[in-house]
Amino acid sequence: MNALIIGNVWPEPVSSAAGTRIMQLLESLQAQGYAVSFACAAGKTPYAEDLEELGVQTHNIQLNNASFDVFIKELNPDLVLFDKFVIEEQFGWRVKEQCPGALRVLETIDLHGLRKGREAALKANEAFSERHLHTDYAKRELASIYRCDLSLIISEAEMQLLQEFFKVPEAQLLYLPFMVAPITSEEQQAWKSFETRKHFVTIGNFRHEPNWLSVRYLKTEIWPLIRKQLPDAEMRVYGSYPAEKHTQLHNPKEHFYVLGRAESAHEVIEEARVLLAPLLTGAGLKGKLLDAMQCGTPAVTTSVGAEGMHGELDFNGSVVDDPKAFAEAAIALYKDKNKFAEAQANGAIIVNQRFSKEAWNSVFKKRLGDLQDNLETHRLSNFTGAMLWHQSLQASKFMSKWIEEKNK
């Protein structure tokens, strides 16, 4: 069987959780027996993963160009995975026309409508509510979910939102969180000790708006409170693609260091005693929090940050939204060896019980197999999707064709 992943960008697992997620899905498809190809219209950066080394065929494609029709018809994949809804908007209709029997899967990574709604509420200085979900992003995203045969949802909270608020049938969705190897007892014993760790850390791609807002909030509201009680501690901020507004926060006199890209997220996180993630906006699961759990590094985050991460299990640290309480929780973890050890243990339990690669690969494989075997019946039950194919996507299709003609 052949699978094609169409990416918005070439995956950079060293730069973002989104890149790590795509690599997990790619490896899962390979483990299921698919020969995987990856296609992208964006240029490659020096930090892009070498997919060819992993046995993945790579293809450069063009937006708004009929050459893609020829390419995909020749490839004739059994499954096509779009890594964002904007990619489905661009290429979904071409896939449907050229390969109508291919299973169309949408990787949402996080609900963009939810993330944008939270950003709008923050900008307006309002409490987030359901009315902030009535955005163009949410409407476009939901339309894409209905047009696809299956959408992968990374967070239980987003599954609940889609089913209860947006009324999306469960048959269109699959809860599929991060998929990682278990943390063994030997790995836990090899974690750096409380005594050998120093300072605080946070990490995140600066191109991702929630990360920038988090760092700014950390610098202005939280770090001054921590410094009063821990004057020797440092705040180390790592993140790919920092712009001038980000590096302007760098202030050695205040022990606040904006250090740019980390070659290895795990290396810088395991050196720190506590990870801080005071996220005000965002959606999906937070890769930095999973990294912290894998490194045995306790974390302090907000309710937005912890959303979907730990379920009914105890978090690997503290979840607080008030800046003063956030600082106090961070200081307590930093100073108290017993709290630190308890948080470490909680993180290992969360990873092993909620994000098992073996368990979720099996779930993913079964769902794809069931859909392949019953695709016609599944599509007949999705009348809303058929309606959207008949109406709304025609605008995207003919706009694309108009651009293509104009480019000639």
Side-chain angles (χ1 to χ4, degrees), residues 201-203 206 215 218 235-239 256-260:
V201 69
T202 193
I203 191 167
F206 279 112
V215 171
L218 178 61
M235 183 67 238
R236 297 176 176 177
V237 180
Y238 294 90
F256 195 95
Y257 298 90
V258 179
L259 301 170

Side-chain angles (χ1 to χ4, degrees), residues 3-22:
L4 171 66
I5 300 175
I6 308 178
N8 184 51
V9 295
W10 296 93
E12 294 183 27
V14 298
S15 301
S16 69
T20 300
R21 167 69 164 183
I22 286 298

Side-chain angles (χ1 to χ4, degrees), residues 219-268:
K219 172 69 162 58
T220 59
E221 303 295 328
I222 296 170
W223 185 243
L225 301 175
I226 295 175
R227 275 212 75 206
K228 284 182 181 179
Q229 295 192 48
L230 298 172
D232 295 328
E234 297 177 3
M235 183 67 238
R236 297 176 176 177
V237 180
Y238 294 90
S240 303
Y241 303 109
E244 184 178 354
K245 70 177 182 179
H246 307 132
T247 56
Q248 284 177 347
L249 297 182
H250 181 78
N251 191 326
K253 288 184 179 180
E254 298 177 359
H255 290 189
F256 195 95
Y257 298 90
V258 179
L259 301 170
R261 178 186 297 275
E263 292 303 315
S264 167
H266 281 206
E267 282 185 11
V268 299

Side-chain angles (χ1 to χ4, degrees), residues 190-328:
W191 280 338
K192 290 181 180 290
S193 67
F194 176 85
E195 291 80 8
T196 58
R197 294 168 179 257
K198 292 192 299 183
H199 309 308
F200 295 90
V201 69
T202 193
I203 191 167
N205 188 332
F206 279 112
R207 287 180 176 174
H208 189 55
E209 185 70 6
N211 288 335
W212 155 237
L213 296 174
S214 171
V215 171
R216 188 176 64 182
Y217 178 56
L218 178 61
K219 172 69 162 58
T220 59
E221 303 295 328
I222 296 170
W223 185 243
L225 301 175
I226 295 175
R227 275 212 75 206
K228 284 182 181 179
Q229 295 192 48
L230 298 172
D232 295 328
E234 297 177 3
M235 183 67 238
R236 297 176 176 177
V237 180
Y238 294 90
S240 303
Y241 303 109
E244 184 178 354
K245 70 177 182 179
H246 307 132
T247 56
Q248 284 177 347
L249 297 182
H250 181 78
N251 191 326
K253 288 184 179 180
E254 298 177 359
H255 290 189
F256 195 95
Y257 298 90
V258 179
L259 301 170
R261 178 186 297 275
E263 292 303 315
S264 167
H266 281 206
E267 282 185 11
V268 299
I269 291 173
E270 69 182 0
E271 292 287 337
R273 191 173 289 179
V274 180
L275 179 137
L276 304 181
L279 291 150
L280 300 171
T281 66
L285 297 181
K286 310 307 178 291
K288 60 178 70 64
L289 295 179
L290 178 64
D291 289 337
M293 294 175 194
Q294 291 176 303
C295 294
T297 305
V300 185
T301 191
T302 59
S303 54
V304 170
E307 184 178 79
M309 290 297 302
H310 61 109
E312 299 299 319
L313 300 173
D314 291 331
F315 187 66
N316 66 313
S318 297
V319 181
V320 284
D321 293 315
D322 175 75
K324 184 178 179 182
F326 192 103
E328 290 172 351

Side-chain angles (χ1 to χ4, degrees), residues 63 70 82 95 100 115 120 124 136 151 155 172 205 225 248 292 298 309 313 381:
L63 295 170
V70 177
F82 311 98
V95 172
R115 172 154 51 89
D136 289 345
S151 291
S155 165
Q172 297 297 121
N205 188 332
L225 301 175
Q248 284 177 347
M309 290 297 302
L313 300 173
S381 68

Side-chain angles (χ1 to χ4, degrees), residues 359-376:
W360 289 111
N361 274 344
S362 297
V363 170
F364 191 25
K365 180 179 181 179
K366 183 178 187 307
R367 187 63 172 275
L368 292 180
D370 290 345
L371 281 172
Q372 294 280 17
D373 293 340
N374 301 282
L375 189 55
E376 184 178 358

